[in-house]
Amino acid sequence: MNNNIEQEFYNLELPEERGPFHIIGDVHGCFEELVELLENLGYQIAFDKDEVKYLVSSPDSGKAVFVGDLVDRGPNSPEVLRLVMDMVEQKVAYCVTGNHDDKLLRMLLGRNVQIRHGLELTKAQLESYDAVFRERVKYFLANLPHHLVLDEGRLVVAHAGLEERLHGRNTKGVRNLCLYGPTTGESDEKGLPVRLDWAADYCGKAIVVYGHTPVHEPIWRNNTINIDTGCVFGGSLTALTYPDHVITTVVSRHTYAESVRPFIRYQQLHPQASPS
Ligand code: MN
């Protein structure tokens, strides 16, 4: 196996891409829910058995944009990867990388990573796929941007979100923030890193769409929206349509994994608002 993949040049900024976009939250191997969500959005998905390839056409010349964390914990991470890779290849989707995608990449590159938090499932699922497929996954993951700036800077998609002054910046530090979000450097009682609430202070012009931290429902705050509604934890899979801000959701078919963090609810982020 080639363990030194050369990174292709990719653009973080795609100003000419104006949408419409269907931005999709953390999938985590929930293949059936993803197919249902895409079909509800108007995508047509066919399967070419000869080429082992999904053929996808999008509605209204729109594109899907995945916020990352395609894999781990769920029942079918390899087919999620195949579908998203085929969609990106057929130019009906973009995808930014999430912390789980990055860890899978490091595992495939032979780095020393801890095989847990659902990666053990992805690893086992990938064992029934051939080396050609695993190489394709490696190449795909190695070339994912850490965030995207779309529609002349009006829309930013990053797995854990990103503060305004870093939009479009390409450094290791920015990449880490996109993947993990800002943390205090401390751990909570469960040993999880304490995350900082960057969106609370956001006052940028661009809409920032992100995932990473499961929320009970998609929550708008200060021009940012978290659309990780925890499908793999028995919640739902959410898409935000841009620019018209329509939310489409598909309810999870199972609780595939127990949530390590309790889902954040609207009231926690907007304590002054009356319950809806
Ligand atoms: Mn996630």
Side-chain angles (χ1 to χ4, degrees), residues 25-28 67-73 98-100 159 179 195 211-214 228 230 232-233:
D26 299 37
V27 181
H28 283 300
V67 303
D69 274 7
L70 300 176
V71 302
D72 292 356
R73 297 197 170 106
N99 52 310
H100 283 265
H159 181 61
L179 265 67
R195 293 174 178 176
H212 188 53
T213 304
D228 176 15
V232 79
F233 301 121

Side-chain angles (χ1 to χ4, degrees), residues 26-29 69-75 77 98-104 106-107 113-125 159 180 187-188 190-193 195 212 232-233 256-261:
D26 299 37
V27 181
H28 283 300
D69 274 7
L70 300 176
V71 302
D72 292 356
R73 297 197 170 106
S77 292
N99 52 310
H100 283 265
D101 312 311
D102 185 62
K103 203 172 172 195
L104 172 60
R106 286 185 280 129
M107 186 194 83
V113 297
Q114 294 184 323
I115 313 286
R116 51 183 194 148
H117 301 310
L119 181 57
E120 69 283 1
L121 296 174
T122 307
K123 184 176 185 259
Q125 289 160 13
H159 181 61
Y180 302 97
S187 300
D188 66 8
K190 289 180 192 159
L192 298 167
R195 293 174 178 176
H212 188 53
V232 79
F233 301 121
Y256 302 100
E258 287 304 320
S259 175
V260 265
R261 297 169 191 265

Side-chain angles (χ1 to χ4, degrees), residues 1-8 10 70-71 78 81-82 85 89 97 100-111 122 126 129-145 175:
M1 282 239 279
N2 169 20
N3 288 339
N4 294 306
I5 281 195
E6 269 188 42
Q7 298 228 327
E8 270 193 355
Y10 57 73
L70 300 176
V71 302
L81 284 165
R82 189 201 301 282
M85 291 189 298
E89 222 170 77
T97 194
H100 283 265
D101 312 311
D102 185 62
K103 203 172 172 195
L104 172 60
L105 170 64
R106 286 185 280 129
M107 186 194 83
L108 292 172
L109 290 170
R111 307 261 170 84
T122 307
L126 278 170
Y129 288 73
D130 62 16
V132 174
F133 183 79
R134 289 198 300 271
E135 281 297 307
R136 186 181 175 211
V137 169
K138 209 161 86 175
Y139 184 83
F140 173 76
L141 295 177
N143 287 293
L144 288 179
R175 184 173 191 277

Side-chain angles (χ1 to χ4, degrees), residues 19-25 37-38 41-43 58-67 92-94 227 238-242 244 246 248:
F21 299 116
H22 308 101
I23 310 157
I24 297 174
L37 179 65
L38 287 168
L41 291 164
Y43 288 79
S58 68
D60 314 321
S61 63
K63 282 182 186 175
V65 184
F66 292 89
V67 303
V92 292
Y94 288 109
I227 58 167
T238 292
L240 170 76
T241 302
Y242 175 94
D244 58 7
V246 173
T248 307

